[in-house]
Amino acid sequence: MRVYVDGKFYRERDAKVSVFDHGLLYGDGVFEGIRVYHQRVFKLDEHIERLYASARAILLEIPMTPAAMTEALLETCRQNRIRDGYIRLVVTRGIGTLGLNPNRCRRPSVIIIAGKIQLYPPELYQHGMQIVTVPTTRNLVNAVNPAIKSLNYLNNILAKIEANIAGVEEAIMLNAEGFVAECTGDNLFIVKRGQLFTPPLAAGALYGITRGVVIDLAREQGIPVSEPNLTRYDLFNADECFLTGTGAEIIPVVKIDGRTIGSGDPGPVTCNLVERYHALTRVSGTPLRPEPRTARTT
Ligand code: PXG
């Protein structure tokens, strides 16, 4: 594997950051996780845009343009001959002193890793997963806003550990008010009477790219989608529930805190969205190499 670090490619074992990088010392930085399907990068512009939005929110000036970042990412995929894979894009505050002050960090570091994805076990896609709510609440929107995809993932990691202790793969995180925010690395949706509901960003959710795709796919079919505050009661009484994320794609949920959701099997709305999502990944995305131009009709 060849890893991009600040404009150069390194072998895996030579790809390193300084122990003085504030990304390591303080989790000061931002990142993205992006999928490649059939040699096309899925929703690349949306991921690049979110990366720069996260960086702006923490006053981190990424030392290259979005266009240059896009090209570096595509080149990393080409160097690694990626067909289907997962790209981790990381921008750290860079090398600084042992104090918190980011002003001492001269230049942010850009790291691009193109490799394989770790997926949930296939049985969970077929039969649905069980999840639980955990005691660790989601970060406050006015503390570290969960909309920022920062390198500071301890909030999520603590919730993940609590899910692991409970013997499940994902955790539902509530916000300090007790409303559902999201899971540790996935957004959450429920279906009730043919309508789709997902928590609003203000409840402490990440503006998930997959979440956005699912909302579009649903609306295209005339399924109403809204973003109200949701409680555990709403989840327990849903007809269907599923999670969305770049890694997970769309995964059905059939049990929450011991309560069976709907029929206890992945529901029809969920299965329909899964099918449409897969269809989209087969045809859309930014090609790793410019495609030969086709004749235009307009
Ligand atoms: N919520 C959170 C907190 C996330 O980190 C999502 C939702 C889904 O967003 P996208 O844009 O992917 O649809 C994420 C992103 C992992 C892992 O290893 C997962 C994410 C990021 C990094 C690592 O599980 N998910």
Side-chain angles (χ1 to χ4, degrees), residues 46-157:
E46 285 83 349
H47 281 286
I48 296 286
E49 196 178 309
R50 187 172 67 184
L51 180 79
Y52 280 77
S54 293
R56 176 183 290 261
I58 67 163
L59 291 102
L60 173 65
E61 201 172 323
I62 298 178
M64 58 205 285
T65 63
M69 182 67 81
T70 299
E71 182 44 38
L73 184 145
L74 293 173
E75 181 56 24
T76 307
C77 292
R78 291 192 288 260
Q79 293 260 342
N80 288 283
R81 299 181 202 288
I82 299 291
R83 297 188 68 82
D84 293 275
Y86 182 73
I87 306 161
R88 178 60 57 89
L89 190 49
V90 183
V91 185
T92 73
R93 188 75 69 178
I95 296 170
T97 58
L98 289 179
L100 279 179
N101 200 340
N103 293 345
R104 301 289 173 80
C105 301
R106 256 190 271 130
R107 192 181 157 88
S109 262
V110 177
I111 298 161
I112 310 173
I113 308 165
K116 289 212 173 65
I117 176 113
Q118 286 227 311
L119 299 169
Y120 288 125
E123 311 85 76
L124 296 184
Y125 287 88
Q126 219 187 331
H127 302 298
M129 74 196 307
Q130 293 188 38
I131 56 177
V132 295
T133 47
V134 293
T136 297
T137 58
R138 196 78 179 99
N139 280 333
L140 294 175
V141 165
N142 57 354
V144 182
N145 194 327
I148 302 167
K149 208 163 162 54
S150 83
L151 293 181
N152 227 296
Y153 252 49
L154 256 187
N155 185 224
N156 311 48
I157 290 165

Side-chain angles (χ1 to χ4, degrees), residues 125 240 250 252 266-276:
Y125 287 88
E240 301 179 31
I250 300 173
V269 176
T270 306
C271 293
N272 175 280
L273 287 166
V274 167
E275 218 165 276
R276 283 169 194 271

